[in-house]
Amino acid sequence: EVQLVESGGGLVQPGGSLRLSCTASGLNFRSWHMKWLRQAPGKALEWVSGISSQDYTYYPDSLKGRFTISKDNAKSAVYLQMNSLDPEDTAVYYCAADITVRGVDYTHRGQGTRVSVSS
């Protein structure tokens, strides 16, 4: 069974930083494309960052420079370093794993960790 477990969320003041972690089990972590998503209250799910199996990283233009994704294959873990946090970053953050095998897409997502940015 594939499991993705996020941690590291919490309450932080505007301008602060948080580092989210996601530990994966039940999959060949090195082969999967990992990403972070978020969902703010009352808003749609939003893609935050991605890292390929070859360690290429991807971000939406709106978050470049503030968020950094990284991973540790030995620990089957992916991280999201978030700096200069703004109240607009308040959301539940999800870790997800994607892979395409013989033309079939597979995806798994964790239960999420809540981030609140407020003074």
Side-chain angles (χ1 to χ4, degrees):
E1 178 187 5
V2 175
Q3 285 193 321
L4 301 173
V5 180
E6 302 95 335
S7 62
L11 176 64
V12 62
Q13 291 188 340
S17 298
L18 274 179
R19 186 186 191 223
L20 305 183
S21 300
C22 170
T23 302
S25 61
L27 51 75
N28 182 4
F29 184 79
R30 295 172 185 269
S31 299
W32 291 68
H33 178 108
M34 302 301 297
K35 61 187 180 186
W36 287 95
L37 309 166
R38 69 182 182 184
Q39 188 162 27
K43 295 189 177 181
L45 196 63
E46 176 187 18
W47 167 63
V48 171
S49 62
I51 184 165
S52 74
S53 57
Q54 291 82 31
D55 291 342
Y56 293 114
T57 58
Y58 307 86
Y59 307 92
D61 288 342
S62 59
L63 296 177
K64 279 182 182 176
R66 290 200 302 125
F67 287 14
T68 303
I69 189 171
S70 61
K71 66 174 180 171
D72 185 336
N73 287 331
K75 295 182 179 180
S76 295
V78 61
Y79 308 100
L80 183 68
Q81 177 67 42
M82 305 186 293
N83 299 325
S84 302
L85 284 165
D86 183 90
E88 293 287 315
D89 297 314
T90 294
V92 177
Y93 285 71
Y94 299 94
C95 167
D98 298 324
I99 195 169
T100 299
V101 179
R102 298 176 184 173
V104 179
D105 297 331
Y106 299 87
T107 188
H108 299 279
R109 196 171 81 189
Q111 294 298 307
T113 185
R114 187 174 301 275
V115 172
S116 297
V117 184
S118 174
S119 55

